Amino acid sequence: MVGLIVLAVVALAALLVLYRSVRIVPQARAGVVERLGRFHRTLGPGLALVVPFVDRVRPLIDLREQVVSFPPQPVITEDNLVVGIDTVIYFQVTDPKAASYEIANYIQGVEQLTVTTLRNVVGGMNLEATLTSRDQINGQLRGVLDEATGRWGIRVNRVELKGIDPPSSIQDSMEKQMRAERDRRAAILQAEGQKQAAILTAEGAKQSAVLRAEGEARAAVLRAEGEARAISQVFEAIHAGDPDEKLLAYQYLQVLPKIAEGSSNKVWIVPSELGEALKGIGGALGGQLDGRTRTPD
């Protein structure tokens, strides 16, 4: 019976020693081993053996990139305005030994260092520069934090400003200014549109007038050419028929009623050749009448 008890105690002690000797470290984790209170080595991912009751493994350290969001911090700008700045930091532990022994709480240390650096950077800038220079502020914060946290075994990858909240009175003034700027831009755009529309209308009217004038000129040329051809044909026909003065006078007498139709025709110009022709016609008509009157004798 005593032997069974002793055997059980030995087996339990062996299991306890085996349990204390074997450590399994997950991926992207690291363990710091202390032997008799002093740093001994760093455990990587996988299975590791330690000396039980002599070696102690500190809590595992996450080697992945971590994101820490800090609450808004009041910061005074160069023009004595208090703004609330919300910051986000992306950092990663690169040296587990330094992160364990160089600082007690590296997350709290990064937060406090960020607040201090942010106040130093923004304190040298006015409100307008603070609102429009986020990239510059991010770059300065990252440079200072990366340099300061390097001895802690931490690398700051990126710093982002989530929000910059100016005082409420300044926000009202900024909104009024933005509204006035938008109204000004709208007025400018409307004026530019009206100007462009007027220019296009004037160009259209100009082109229309030019085309109309060209059409009228072309029509006048065609009309003149037609009249010239008509006159030429009439002239050729007249010369081909070889008319005498009596025929010309007769044709003029037929045209006179059409000439008299116009209301503005007050003066008629009678060519001298027409007068001679009319005399000839009158003489011929008179001779015929005389012959008729003398026939009864």
Side-chain angles (χ1 to χ4, degrees):
M1 185 65 181
V2 177
L4 292 175
I5 295 175
V6 173
L7 183 60
V9 171
V10 171
L12 183 60
L15 291 175
L16 181 60
V17 170
L18 181 62
Y19 174 76
R20 297 292 299 271
S21 301
V22 177
R23 290 290 186 272
I24 299 177
V25 180
Q27 184 67 32
R29 302 288 196 280
V32 176
V33 178
E34 295 178 348
R35 176 165 293 178
L36 299 177
R38 300 181 60 182
F39 173 77
H40 176 61
R41 64 190 175 111
T42 302
L43 299 180
L47 181 65
L49 297 177
V50 296
V51 178
F53 307 105
V54 177
D55 294 342
R56 184 176 74 91
V57 180
R58 293 175 61 91
L60 299 180
I61 298 177
D62 195 344
L63 300 181
R64 295 173 297 179
E65 186 176 27
Q66 302 182 44
V67 182
V68 179
S69 178
F70 303 135
Q73 300 293 329
V75 181
I76 301 177
T77 61
E78 186 181 14
D79 46 359
N80 296 324
L81 294 175
V82 180
V83 296
I85 301 180
D86 194 2
T87 313
V88 178
I89 295 181
Y90 300 80
F91 69 93
Q92 187 176 10
V93 177
T94 57
D95 187 356
K97 177 184 176 181
S100 300
Y101 297 108
E102 294 297 333
I103 187 171
N105 188 337
Y106 57 83
I107 295 180
Q108 185 178 2
V110 170
E111 178 182 1
Q112 296 301 322
L113 183 60
T114 301
V115 173
T116 304
T117 307
L118 185 63
R119 288 175 178 173
N120 292 334
V121 173
V122 177
M125 305 172 65
N126 55 26
L127 179 60
E128 184 177 359
T130 303
L131 295 175
T132 58
S133 305
R134 291 196 177 191
D135 293 338
Q136 179 181 355
I137 297 174
N138 293 339
Q140 293 182 8
L141 284 176
R142 182 183 179 279
V144 174
L145 292 175
D146 195 19
E147 181 180 359
T149 58
R151 61 186 183 88
W152 298 344
I154 297 174
R155 182 178 67 246
V156 177
N157 297 327
R158 189 169 52 181
V159 180
E160 297 290 343
L161 300 182
K162 290 176 58 178
I164 301 176
D165 300 326
S168 57
S169 58
I170 300 299
Q171 291 183 2
D172 296 338
S173 301
M174 292 173 59
E175 290 178 358
K176 292 179 181 179
Q177 182 179 1
M178 293 174 60
R179 191 179 301 110
E181 182 67 19
R182 287 194 296 268
D183 294 340
R184 185 182 68 85
R185 292 181 180 179
I188 292 175
L189 292 176
Q190 184 177 2
E192 288 291 337
Q194 294 177 354
K195 175 183 176 182
Q196 191 66 22
I199 292 175
L200 294 176
T201 302
E203 289 291 336
K206 176 183 176 182
Q207 294 179 2
S208 177
V210 170
L211 293 176
R212 189 182 302 109
E214 292 178 353
E216 293 177 354
R218 183 62 179 170
V221 170
L222 294 176
R223 192 181 304 109
E225 292 178 353
E227 292 177 357
R229 286 196 297 267
I231 293 173
S232 177
Q233 292 178 0
V234 171
F235 183 77
E236 291 177 357
I238 291 174
H239 281 276
D242 193 16
D244 54 3
E245 296 179 355
K246 298 177 180 180
L247 178 60
L248 293 177
Y250 178 73
Q251 291 293 333
Y252 182 79
L253 290 175
Q254 288 183 342
V255 175
L256 284 179
K258 296 183 179 180
I259 298 176
E261 291 178 356
S263 60
S264 60
N265 295 327
K266 304 299 182 182
V267 179
W268 295 355
I269 299 176
V270 179
S272 59
E273 294 82 358
L274 181 61
E276 297 296 333
L278 293 176
K279 290 180 181 179
I281 294 174
L285 294 176
Q288 294 178 358
L289 294 175
D290 291 338
R292 292 178 180 178
T293 54
R294 293 173 182 172
T295 300
D297 295 337

Coordinates of all heavy atoms in Angstrom, one line a residue, residues 108-173:
Q108 N 1.1 52.5 -22.4 CA 0.9 53.8 -21.6 C 2.0 54.8 -22.0 O 1.7 56.0 -22.1 CB 0.8 53.5 -20.1 CG 0.5 54.8 -19.3 CD 0.4 54.5 -17.9 OE1 0.6 53.3 -17.4 NE2 0.1 55.5 -17.1
G109 N 3.2 54.3 -22.1 CA 4.3 55.1 -22.5 C 4.1 55.8 -23.8 O 4.4 57.0 -24.0
V110 N 3.7 55.0 -24.8 CA 3.4 55.5 -26.1 C 2.3 56.6 -26.1 O 2.4 57.6 -26.8 CB 3.1 54.4 -27.1 CG1 2.6 54.9 -28.4 CG2 4.3 53.5 -27.3
E111 N 1.3 56.3 -25.3 CA 0.2 57.3 -25.2 C 0.7 58.6 -24.7 O 0.4 59.7 -25.2 CB -0.9 56.7 -24.4 CG -2.1 57.7 -24.2 CD -3.2 57.1 -23.3 OE1 -3.0 56.0 -22.8 OE2 -4.2 57.8 -23.1
Q112 N 1.4 58.6 -23.6 CA 1.9 59.8 -23.0 C 2.8 60.6 -23.9 O 2.8 61.8 -24.0 CB 2.5 59.5 -21.6 CG 1.5 59.0 -20.6 CD 0.3 59.9 -20.3 OE1 0.5 61.1 -20.3 NE2 -0.8 59.3 -20.2
L113 N 3.7 59.8 -24.5 CA 4.7 60.4 -25.4 C 4.0 61.0 -26.6 O 4.4 62.1 -27.1 CB 5.7 59.4 -25.9 CG 6.8 59.9 -26.8 CD1 7.6 60.9 -26.1 CD2 7.7 58.7 -27.2
T114 N 2.9 60.4 -27.1 CA 2.1 61.0 -28.2 C 1.5 62.3 -27.8 O 1.5 63.3 -28.6 CB 1.1 60.0 -28.6 OG1 1.7 58.7 -29.0 CG2 0.3 60.5 -29.8
V115 N 0.9 62.3 -26.6 CA 0.2 63.6 -26.2 C 1.2 64.7 -26.0 O 1.0 65.8 -26.5 CB -0.5 63.3 -24.8 CG1 -1.0 64.6 -24.3 CG2 -1.6 62.3 -25.0
T116 N 2.4 64.4 -25.4 CA 3.4 65.4 -25.2 C 3.9 65.9 -26.6 O 4.1 67.1 -26.8 CB 4.6 64.9 -24.4 OG1 4.1 64.4 -23.2 CG2 5.6 65.9 -24.1
T117 N 4.2 65.0 -27.5 CA 4.8 65.4 -28.8 C 3.7 66.2 -29.6 O 4.0 67.2 -30.3 CB 5.2 64.1 -29.6 OG1 6.1 63.4 -28.8 CG2 5.9 64.5 -30.9
L118 N 2.5 65.8 -29.5 CA 1.4 66.5 -30.2 C 1.2 67.9 -29.7 O 1.1 68.8 -30.5 CB 0.1 65.7 -30.0 CG -1.1 66.2 -30.8 CD1 -0.9 66.1 -32.3 CD2 -2.4 65.4 -30.4
R119 N 1.3 68.1 -28.4 CA 1.2 69.5 -27.9 C 2.4 70.3 -28.3 O 2.3 71.5 -28.6 CB 1.2 69.4 -26.4 CG -0.2 68.9 -25.9 CD -0.2 68.7 -24.4 NE -1.6 68.3 -24.0 CZ -1.9 67.9 -22.7 NH1 -0.9 68.0 -21.8 NH2 -3.1 67.5 -22.4
N120 N 3.6 69.7 -28.4 CA 4.8 70.5 -28.9 C 4.6 70.9 -30.4 O 5.0 72.0 -30.8 CB 6.0 69.7 -28.7 CG 6.4 69.5 -27.2 OD1 6.0 70.3 -26.4 ND2 7.1 68.4 -26.9
V121 N 4.1 69.9 -31.2 CA 4.1 70.2 -32.6 C 2.9 71.2 -32.9 O 3.1 72.2 -33.6 CB 3.8 68.9 -33.4 CG1 3.5 69.2 -34.9 CG2 5.0 68.0 -33.2
V122 N 1.7 71.0 -32.4 CA 0.6 71.8 -32.6 C 0.8 73.2 -31.9 O 0.3 74.2 -32.4 CB -0.7 71.2 -32.2 CG1 -1.9 72.1 -32.4 CG2 -0.9 69.9 -33.0
G123 N 1.5 73.2 -30.8 CA 1.7 74.5 -30.2 C 2.5 75.5 -31.0 O 2.4 76.7 -30.7
G124 N 3.2 75.1 -32.0 CA 3.9 76.0 -32.9 C 3.2 76.3 -34.1 O 3.8 76.9 -35.1
M125 N 1.9 75.9 -34.2 CA 1.1 76.2 -35.4 C -0.2 76.9 -35.0 O -0.7 76.7 -33.9 CB 0.8 74.9 -36.1 CG 2.0 74.0 -36.5 SD 1.6 72.4 -37.1 CE 0.8 72.8 -38.6
N126 N -0.7 77.7 -35.9 CA -2.0 78.4 -35.7 C -3.1 77.4 -36.1 O -2.9 76.3 -36.6 CB -2.1 79.7 -36.5 CG -1.8 79.5 -37.9 OD1 -2.0 78.5 -38.5 ND2 -1.4 80.6 -38.6
L127 N -4.3 77.8 -35.8 CA -5.5 76.9 -36.1 C -5.6 76.6 -37.5 O -5.8 75.4 -37.9 CB -6.7 77.6 -35.6 CG -8.0 76.8 -35.8 CD1 -8.0 75.5 -35.0 CD2 -9.2 77.6 -35.3
E128 N -5.5 77.5 -38.4 CA -5.6 77.2 -39.8 C -4.6 76.2 -40.3 O -4.9 75.3 -41.1 CB -5.5 78.5 -40.6 CG -5.8 78.4 -42.1 CD -5.7 79.7 -42.9 OE1 -5.6 80.7 -42.2 OE2 -5.9 79.7 -44.1
A129 N -3.3 76.4 -39.9 CA -2.3 75.5 -40.3 C -2.5 74.1 -39.7 O -2.3 73.1 -40.3 CB -0.9 76.0 -39.8
T130 N -3.1 74.1 -38.5 CA -3.4 72.8 -37.8 C -4.4 72.0 -38.6 O -4.4 70.8 -38.8 CB -3.8 73.0 -36.4 OG1 -2.8 73.7 -35.7 CG2 -4.1 71.7 -35.7
L131 N -5.5 72.7 -39.1 CA -6.5 72.1 -39.8 C -6.1 71.6 -41.2 O -6.7 70.7 -41.7 CB -7.8 73.0 -39.9 CG -8.4 73.4 -38.5 CD1 -9.5 74.4 -38.8 CD2 -9.0 72.2 -37.9
T132 N -5.2 72.3 -41.8 CA -4.8 72.0 -43.2 C -3.5 71.3 -43.3 O -3.1 71.0 -44.4 CB -4.7 73.3 -44.0 OG1 -3.8 74.2 -43.4 CG2 -6.1 74.0 -44.0
S133 N -2.8 71.0 -42.2 CA -1.5 70.3 -42.3 C -1.5 69.0 -41.5 O -0.6 68.7 -40.7 CB -0.4 71.3 -41.8 OG -0.5 72.5 -42.4
R134 N -2.5 68.2 -41.8 CA -2.5 66.9 -41.1 C -1.3 66.0 -41.5 O -0.8 65.3 -40.6 CB -3.8 66.2 -41.4 CG -5.0 66.8 -40.8 CD -6.2 65.9 -40.7 NE -7.4 66.5 -40.1 CZ -8.5 65.8 -39.8 NH1 -8.5 64.5 -40.0 NH2 -9.5 66.4 -39.2
D135 N -1.0 66.0 -42.7 CA 0.1 65.1 -43.2 C 1.4 65.5 -42.5 O 2.2 64.7 -42.1 CB 0.2 65.2 -44.7 CG -1.0 64.5 -45.4 OD1 -1.7 63.7 -44.7 OD2 -1.2 64.8 -46.6
Q136 N 1.6 66.9 -42.4 CA 2.8 67.4 -41.8 C 2.9 67.0 -40.3 O 3.9 66.6 -39.8 CB 2.9 68.9 -42.0 CG 4.1 69.5 -41.3 CD 4.2 71.0 -41.5 OE1 3.3 71.6 -42.2 NE2 5.1 71.7 -40.9
I137 N 1.8 67.1 -39.6 CA 1.7 66.8 -38.2 C 1.9 65.3 -38.0 O 2.7 64.8 -37.1 CB 0.3 67.2 -37.6 CG1 0.2 68.7 -37.7 CG2 0.2 66.7 -36.2 CD1 -1.2 69.2 -37.2
N138 N 1.3 64.5 -38.9 CA 1.5 63.0 -38.8 C 2.9 62.6 -39.0 O 3.5 61.8 -38.3 CB 0.6 62.3 -39.9 CG -0.9 62.5 -39.6 OD1 -1.3 62.7 -38.4 ND2 -1.7 62.3 -40.6
G139 N 3.6 63.3 -40.0 CA 5.0 63.0 -40.2 C 5.9 63.3 -39.0 O 6.8 62.6 -38.6
Q140 N 5.7 64.5 -38.4 CA 6.5 64.9 -37.3 C 6.2 64.0 -36.1 O 7.2 63.6 -35.4 CB 6.2 66.4 -36.9 CG 6.6 67.4 -38.0 CD 6.3 68.8 -37.6 OE1 5.9 69.1 -36.4 NE2 6.5 69.7 -38.5
L141 N 5.0 63.7 -35.8 CA 4.7 62.8 -34.7 C 5.4 61.4 -34.9 O 6.0 60.8 -34.0 CB 3.2 62.6 -34.6 CG 2.4 63.7 -34.0 CD1 0.9 63.4 -34.0 CD2 2.8 63.9 -32.5
R142 N 5.3 60.9 -36.1 CA 5.9 59.6 -36.4 C 7.4 59.6 -36.2 O 8.0 58.7 -35.6 CB 5.5 59.1 -37.8 CG 6.1 57.7 -38.1 CD 5.7 57.3 -39.5 NE 6.3 56.0 -39.9 CZ 7.5 55.8 -40.2 NH1 8.4 56.8 -40.2 NH2 8.0 54.5 -40.5
G143 N 8.0 60.6 -36.7 CA 9.5 60.7 -36.5 C 9.9 60.8 -35.1 O 10.8 60.1 -34.6
V144 N 9.2 61.6 -34.3 CA 9.6 61.8 -32.9 C 9.3 60.5 -32.1 O 10.1 60.0 -31.3 CB 8.9 63.0 -32.3 CG1 9.1 63.0 -30.8 CG2 9.3 64.3 -32.9
L145 N 8.1 59.9 -32.3 CA 7.7 58.7 -31.6 C 8.6 57.5 -32.0 O 9.0 56.7 -31.1 CB 6.3 58.3 -31.9 CG 5.2 59.3 -31.3 CD1 3.8 58.9 -31.8 CD2 5.3 59.3 -29.8
D146 N 8.9 57.4 -33.3 CA 9.8 56.3 -33.7 C 11.2 56.3 -33.1 O 11.8 55.3 -32.7 CB 9.9 56.2 -35.2 CG 10.4 54.9 -35.7 OD1 10.4 53.9 -35.0 OD2 10.9 54.9 -36.9
E147 N 11.7 57.6 -33.0 CA 13.0 57.7 -32.4 C 13.0 57.5 -30.9 O 13.9 56.9 -30.3 CB 13.5 59.2 -32.7 CG 14.9 59.4 -32.1 CD 15.4 60.8 -32.4 OE1 14.6 61.6 -33.1 OE2 16.5 61.2 -32.0
A148 N 11.9 57.9 -30.2 CA 11.9 57.8 -28.8 C 11.6 56.4 -28.3 O 12.0 55.9 -27.3 CB 10.9 58.8 -28.2
T149 N 10.7 55.7 -29.1 CA 10.3 54.3 -28.7 C 11.3 53.3 -29.2 O 11.0 52.1 -29.0 CB 8.9 54.0 -29.3 OG1 8.9 54.2 -30.7 CG2 7.9 55.0 -28.6
G150 N 12.3 53.6 -30.0 CA 13.2 52.7 -30.5 C 13.9 51.9 -29.4 O 14.2 50.7 -29.5
R151 N 14.3 52.6 -28.3 CA 15.0 52.0 -27.2 C 14.1 51.1 -26.4 O 14.5 50.3 -25.5 CB 15.7 53.0 -26.3 CG 14.7 54.0 -25.7 CD 15.5 55.1 -25.0 NE 14.6 56.0 -24.3 CZ 14.2 55.8 -23.0 NH1 14.5 54.7 -22.4 NH2 13.4 56.7 -22.5
W152 N 12.8 51.2 -26.6 CA 11.8 50.4 -25.9 C 11.5 49.1 -26.7 O 10.7 48.3 -26.3 CB 10.5 51.1 -25.7 CG 10.6 52.3 -24.9 CD1 11.6 52.6 -24.0 CD2 9.6 53.4 -24.7 NE1 11.4 53.8 -23.4 CE2 10.1 54.3 -23.8 CE3 8.4 53.6 -25.3 CZ2 9.5 55.5 -23.5 CZ3 7.7 54.7 -24.9 CH2 8.2 55.7 -24.0
G153 N 12.2 48.9 -27.8 CA 11.9 47.8 -28.7 C 10.6 47.9 -29.4 O 10.0 46.9 -29.8
I154 N 10.2 49.1 -29.8 CA 8.9 49.3 -30.4 C 9.2 50.2 -31.7 O 10.0 51.1 -31.7 CB 7.9 50.1 -29.5 CG1 7.6 49.2 -28.3 CG2 6.6 50.4 -30.3 CD1 6.7 49.8 -27.3
R155 N 8.5 49.8 -32.8 CA 8.6 50.6 -34.0 C 7.2 51.2 -34.3 O 6.2 50.5 -34.5 CB 9.0 49.7 -35.2 CG 9.2 50.5 -36.5 CD 9.7 49.7 -37.7 NE 8.7 48.7 -38.0 CZ 8.9 47.4 -37.9 NH1 10.0 46.9 -37.4 NH2 7.9 46.5 -38.3
V156 N 7.1 52.5 -34.4 CA 5.9 53.2 -34.7 C 5.8 53.3 -36.3 O 6.6 53.9 -36.9 CB 5.9 54.6 -34.1 CG1 4.6 55.4 -34.6 CG2 6.0 54.5 -32.6
N157 N 4.8 52.6 -36.8 CA 4.6 52.5 -38.3 C 3.9 53.7 -38.8 O 4.2 54.2 -39.9 CB 3.9 51.2 -38.6 CG 4.7 50.0 -38.3 OD1 6.0 50.0 -38.3 ND2 4.0 48.9 -37.9
R158 N 2.9 54.2 -38.1 CA 2.0 55.2 -38.7 C 1.3 55.9 -37.5 O 0.9 55.3 -36.5 CB 1.0 54.7 -39.7 CG 0.3 55.7 -40.4 CD -0.5 55.1 -41.6 NE -1.3 53.9 -41.1 CZ -2.1 53.2 -42.0 NH1 -2.1 53.5 -43.2 NH2 -2.8 52.2 -41.5
V159 N 1.1 57.2 -37.7 CA 0.3 58.0 -36.8 C -0.7 58.8 -37.6 O -0.4 59.4 -38.6 CB 1.2 59.0 -36.0 CG1 0.4 59.9 -35.0 CG2 2.3 58.3 -35.2
E160 N -2.0 58.7 -37.2 CA -3.1 59.4 -37.9 C -3.9 60.2 -36.9 O -4.1 59.8 -35.7 CB -4.0 58.3 -38.5 CG -3.3 57.5 -39.6 CD -3.0 58.3 -40.8 OE1 -3.6 59.4 -41.0 OE2 -2.2 57.8 -41.7
L161 N -4.3 61.4 -37.3 CA -5.2 62.3 -36.6 C -6.6 62.0 -37.0 O -7.0 62.2 -38.1 CB -4.8 63.7 -36.8 CG -3.4 64.2 -36.4 CD1 -3.3 65.7 -36.7 CD2 -3.1 63.8 -35.0
K162 N -7.4 61.4 -36.1 CA -8.8 61.0 -36.5 C -9.7 62.3 -36.6 O -10.5 62.3 -37.4 CB -9.4 60.1 -35.4 CG -8.8 58.7 -35.4 CD -9.3 57.8 -34.3 CE -10.8 57.7 -34.4 NZ -11.3 56.8 -33.3
G163 N -9.4 63.2 -35.7 CA -10.3 64.4 -35.8 C -9.6 65.6 -35.1 O -8.9 65.4 -34.1
I164 N -9.9 66.8 -35.6 CA -9.4 68.0 -34.9 C -10.7 68.9 -34.7 O -11.3 69.3 -35.7 CB -8.4 68.8 -35.8 CG1 -7.2 67.9 -36.1 CG2 -8.0 70.0 -35.1 CD1 -6.2 68.5 -37.0
D165 N -11.0 69.1 -33.5 CA -12.3 69.8 -33.1 C -12.0 71.1 -32.5 O -11.5 71.2 -31.4 CB -13.1 68.9 -32.1 CG -13.5 67.6 -32.7 OD1 -13.7 67.5 -33.9 OD2 -13.5 66.6 -31.9
P166 N -12.2 72.2 -33.3 CA -11.9 73.6 -32.7 C -13.1 73.9 -31.8 O -14.1 73.3 -31.7 CB -11.9 74.4 -34.0 CG -12.7 73.7 -35.0 CD -12.5 72.2 -34.7
P167 N -13.0 75.1 -31.1 CA -14.0 75.5 -30.2 C -15.3 75.8 -31.0 O -15.3 76.0 -32.2 CB -13.5 76.8 -29.6 CG -12.0 76.7 -29.7 CD -11.7 75.9 -31.0
S168 N -16.5 75.7 -30.3 CA -17.8 75.9 -31.0 C -17.9 77.3 -31.6 O -18.4 77.4 -32.7 CB -18.9 75.7 -30.0 OG -18.7 76.7 -28.9
S169 N -17.3 78.3 -31.0 CA -17.4 79.7 -31.6 C -16.6 79.7 -32.9 O -17.0 80.4 -33.9 CB -16.9 80.7 -30.6 OG -15.5 80.4 -30.2
I170 N -15.5 79.1 -32.9 CA -14.7 79.1 -34.1 C -15.3 78.2 -35.2 O -15.3 78.6 -36.4 CB -13.3 78.5 -33.8 CG1 -12.6 79.4 -32.7 CG2 -12.4 78.4 -35.0 CD1 -12.4 80.8 -33.1
Q171 N -16.0 77.2 -34.8 CA -16.7 76.4 -35.7 C -17.9 77.2 -36.4 O -18.1 77.1 -37.6 CB -17.3 75.1 -35.1 CG -16.3 74.1 -34.6 CD -16.9 72.9 -34.0 OE1 -18.2 72.7 -34.0 NE2 -16.1 71.9 -33.6
D172 N -18.6 78.0 -35.6 CA -19.6 78.8 -36.2 C -19.0 79.8 -37.2 O -19.6 80.0 -38.3 CB -20.4 79.6 -35.1 CG -21.1 78.7 -34.2 OD1 -21.4 77.5 -34.6 OD2 -21.4 79.0 -33.1
S173 N -17.9 80.4 -36.8 CA -17.2 81.4 -37.8 C -16.8 80.7 -39.0 O -16.9 81.2 -40.1 CB -16.1 82.1 -37.0 OG -16.5 82.7 -35.9

